[in-house]
Amino acid sequence: MNGNRAISNQQTPFEAQKSFANTLKEAIDKVNDYQVQSDELTNKLIHGENVELHDVMIAAQKASITLNATVEIRNKVIEAYQEVMRMTV
């Protein structure tokens, strides 16, 4: 490798925005997947299908934890945005 050439991983603002948007969408999709899985297992349990109670409870807790974490992250992002908007230039 040539010591004079530095490898640059910098993205353009558009690429960074697109990457952030994709990451955010994937995270929200995962939260939704946990919610859907929890609902499906709960409905199976309600209808008397062969499903273990502990699996239903674990799925419900995963869905709850991921949703609560997402809400907290959203709150922190909003607080950070509001703080930046209060800054004087």
Side-chain angles (χ1 to χ4, degrees):
M1 291 188 98
N2 188 344
N4 295 332
R5 291 174 37 182
I7 298 174
S8 176
N9 288 333
Q10 291 184 348
Q11 297 177 331
T12 66
F14 176 74
E15 291 170 336
Q17 181 181 5
K18 214 171 158 184
S19 174
F20 177 76
N22 287 338
T23 302
L24 186 61
K25 183 181 180 323
E26 289 172 7
I28 291 172
D29 286 344
K30 278 188 176 182
V31 172
N32 186 53
D33 290 344
Y34 282 126
Q35 295 289 328
V36 168
Q37 181 183 16
S38 175
D39 288 345
E40 287 174 355
L41 288 174
T42 301
N43 284 331
K44 285 180 180 182
L45 182 67
I46 290 170
H47 291 103
E49 294 181 32
N50 187 17
V51 62
E52 296 292 330
L53 179 60
H54 66 272
D55 289 337
V56 177
M57 296 304 295
I58 291 170
Q61 283 299 308
K62 280 183 182 179
S64 176
I65 290 168
T66 56
L67 182 61
N68 288 337
T70 302
V71 169
E72 287 302 317
I73 291 169
R74 179 202 64 134
N75 291 343
K76 291 295 183 183
V77 168
I78 290 172
E79 286 176 25
Y81 173 78
Q82 289 171 342
E83 187 66 30
V84 168
M85 294 307 292
R86 282 193 287 263
M87 289 181 182
T88 56
V89 180

